[in-house]
Amino acid sequence: MGHPEYDRLTLEKEYHRDLAKGLKIKAPENYFLDSSHKKINYNWRSSSELIYQDWLNKLRA
């Protein structure tokens, strides 16, 4: 499921940080829209919001 707690840019920052360190890493799967690694596929937003809303509702119950 990944990291629903991440905002849109968190994983991108970590990826580019690790590349700058010279680490041999692969781009996150299904995160970038193309091979330029500049456009992000932010399709998990609604799912992450739903997870947190459900969690808050359980806390209030």
Side-chain angles (χ1 to χ4, degrees):
M1 180 155 163
H3 292 276
E5 74 277 11
Y6 278 15
D7 72 12
R8 186 175 62 86
L9 300 177
T10 303
L11 193 55
E12 177 188 34
K13 289 176 186 175
E14 290 180 356
Y15 171 69
H16 289 292
R17 176 201 63 205
D18 292 346
L19 283 178
K21 288 180 180 180
L23 300 176
K24 294 183 180 189
I25 61 170
K26 294 181 181 179
E29 288 186 36
N30 304 313
Y31 182 73
F32 294 108
L33 289 172
D34 58 26
S35 61
S36 72
H37 302 145
K38 294 185 183 199
K39 293 183 180 181
I40 298 170
N41 181 12
Y42 192 35
N43 64 352
W44 70 93
R45 181 179 180 170
S46 61
S47 297
S48 64
E49 289 174 354
L50 182 60
I51 289 169
Y52 280 107
Q53 189 61 46
D54 287 347
W55 177 66
L56 289 173
N57 288 336
K58 287 184 188 283
L59 290 176
R60 284 187 276 201

